[in-house]
Amino acid sequence: MIERKSVNLVSRPNGPPTLENFELVTSSLDEIKDGEILLETKYLSLDPYMRGRMNADKSYAPPVPVGGIMEGECVAEIIDSKNPNFENGEIVAARIGWVTHAISDGIELRKVNQQLAPISTALGVLGMPGHTAWTGLNVIGKAQPGETVVISAATGAVGSLAGQLAKAKGMRVVGVAGGAEKCAFAKSELGYDECFDHKLAADATELRKWLSDAVPKGIDVYFENVGGKTTEAVLPLMNEFGRVSVCGMIAWYSGIGVNDAIRLPAAWRAILTKRLQVRGFIVWDHNDVFDQFFSDTAPLVQSNQITYRETITDGIENAPQAFLDLLDGKNFGKQLVKVS
Ligand SMILES: NC(=O)c1ccc[n+]([C@@H]2O[C@H](COP(=O)([O-])OP(=O)(O)OC[C@H]3O[C@@H](n4cnc5c(N)ncnc54)[C@H](OP(=O)(O)O)[C@@H]3O)[C@@H](O)[C@H]2O)c1
């Protein structure tokens, strides 16, 4: 019998979530049966989409039920196996939630090559966020050498890879991030040509003024991660036939600022008059390009041509606070929890 800890959702937030919405629960797992494996979590990934799962309404995925374990992906070690396809000591990426241990039948697990890069990267630059960056830039944004791209949440898990891939393609790359340290990192480490601090801009008009000086040829691709005043600043600067890759809108996830948000007619007008292609995407609809993303990106990570940054919080009991911090922009790069 294994004692397992989990973080469960015990109430739904009304606005920004709080620690009271979560509870650390201890339970026990049965012995594994034939065909099963026992997993011990090494790292838990915290991601902005989890905020949506805390709401009662279904969006593109069902909500976490009240009382249920928070949803999420982990990298975990196999510590017991009665499945011929898995051996003790192997590392896998698995959607087992905010837990220290789990039993799996082995379906939908992704084996992690421990020789390639630190195993935590399977949740970041070489995992779902990396896949999202690659897809948003290439498949949705149809980014081309010589074009200009603006990327919001520029130093985050998704944005930091999108920026580096765009630079490697020969694009002009302009970021928007929160704070001087993140903006400096974007330019010195990630290769952004410019990066602007959205926190310093009084409003969308001021941010647009800064951006317009940095994009003398206009914007061909906007990699949208945040919504809010950044979207409002960017849209009028888009070139005709530009592409907006709508990946996320974290500024609005807890309902803050939605009433001050860009008016629909203004956005619609920009889309019409500039003949923009605005396309939302959910990464799991693009599993067909995962292998291409991985074979493009893994060698660049291995040879340090692509860099990445992680914020690692210790202990599953601290996952709720780390998640609130992520929604507040306190993470720098990929937010992880070291579980064991
Ligand atoms: N469509 C998909 O399939 C898919 C997959 C993965 C992620 N996403 C989305 O992609 C976006 C980035 O995800 P990530 O995992 O890479 O997270 P992340 O960028 O590592 O972390 C979230 C960042 O969002 C920024 N942020 C938070 N509140 C903000 C606000 N009010 N205004 C502007 N920026 C704010 C903060 O960065 P600053 O400090 O720089 O402001 C924060 O660090 C999210 O919107 C997420 O939902 C979508």
Side-chain angles (χ1 to χ4, degrees):
M1 196 99 92
I2 288 267
E3 188 180 85
R4 150 314 256 283
K5 288 193 168 57
S6 61
V7 175
N8 294 26
L9 180 73
V10 290
S11 58
R12 298 202 186 279
N14 181 16
T18 65
L19 291 179
E20 285 66 45
N21 298 131
F22 303 94
E23 188 175 58
L24 187 67
V25 173
T26 304
S27 56
S28 49
L29 292 179
D30 293 336
E31 294 295 322
I32 55 170
K33 300 196 270 297
D34 281 347
E36 291 183 335
I37 53 180
L38 179 61
L39 298 170
E40 182 180 74
T41 303
K42 296 288 169 195
Y43 293 97
L44 160 68
S45 174
L46 294 180
D47 298 274
Y49 75 82
M50 294 164 172
R51 173 64 189 85
R53 302 292 193 280
M54 298 176 78
N55 292 340
D57 40 311
K58 178 176 187 296
S59 63
Y60 59 89
V64 173
V66 172
I69 295 174
M70 282 294 294
E71 189 180 324
E73 191 177 21
C74 298
V75 284
E77 181 178 344
I78 296 172
I79 56 171
D80 198 4
S81 175
K82 289 189 179 168
N83 181 318
N85 299 321
F86 297 93
E87 285 175 19
N88 283 9
E90 283 188 306
I91 300 286
V92 292
R95 297 201 57 82
I96 52 180
W98 297 24
V99 295
T100 56
H101 297 85
I103 291 174
S104 164
D105 55 11
I107 294 170
E108 292 192 349
L109 300 188
R110 180 164 53 92
K111 287 193 182 183
V112 174
N113 178 349
Q114 299 176 59
Q115 267 66 56
L116 187 67
I119 58 172
S120 58
T121 58
L123 299 172
V125 66
L126 294 180
M128 184 278 280
H131 180 201
T132 303
W134 191 97
T135 303
L137 190 72
N138 295 308
V139 179
I140 312 295
K142 300 186 180 73
Q144 301 299 323
E147 290 188 327
T148 298
V149 59
V150 170
I151 302 171
S152 48
T155 64
V158 173
S160 59
L161 181 62
Q164 292 177 88
L165 292 175
K167 200 64 217 168
K169 243 182 201 303
M171 304 182 80
R172 179 160 179 80
V173 188
V174 176
V176 179
E181 199 190 348
K182 287 186 180 180
C183 287
F185 177 79
K187 286 165 69 171
S188 66
E189 302 298 319
L190 303 177
Y192 281 80
D193 295 291
E194 269 303 340
C195 187
F196 297 101
D197 181 356
H198 62 84
K199 291 181 179 167
L200 290 183
D203 53 20
T205 310
E206 186 169 26
L207 184 56
R208 188 180 309 136
K209 200 143 83 29
W210 300 343
L211 281 169
S212 72
D213 291 340
V215 295
K217 294 188 191 161
I219 301 169
D220 301 295
V221 180
Y222 174 43
F223 198 119
E224 165 69 297
N225 279 324
V226 302
K229 70 182 167 201
T230 307
T231 308
E232 201 170 344
V234 165
L235 280 186
L237 301 177
M238 293 294 300
N239 289 331
E240 290 179 353
F241 306 105
R243 286 85 63 201
V244 181
S245 183
V246 184
C247 176
M249 43 184 209
I250 191 168
W252 291 323
Y253 285 173
S254 289
I256 292 174
V258 289
N259 293 330
D260 311 325
I262 183 169
R263 302 279 164 251
L264 185 61
W268 226 238
R269 182 180 173 77
I271 293 167
L272 171 66
T273 57
K274 292 168 186 291
R275 286 87 99 203
L276 302 179
Q277 276 189 40
V278 180
R279 186 173 168 199
F281 74 104
I282 299 298
V283 65
W284 69 44
D285 292 330
H286 299 275
N287 286 338
D288 57 321
V289 296
F290 185 89
D291 289 348
Q292 203 183 339
F293 141 70
F294 197 85
S295 56
D296 268 10
T297 312
L300 299 175
V301 172
Q302 209 173 16
S303 60
N304 296 321
Q305 287 166 273
I306 291 280
T307 186
Y308 61 91
R309 191 159 168 159
E310 299 170 332
T311 297
I312 301 180
T313 300
D314 252 321
I316 193 163
E317 65 281 7
N318 295 317
Q321 184 60 56
F323 180 61
L324 304 188
D325 289 349
L326 166 74
L327 295 178
D328 243 5
K330 291 188 184 133
N331 64 308
F332 201 147
K334 175 66 210 160
Q335 177 67 57
L336 298 163
V337 179
K338 192 168 190 313
V339 176
S340 73

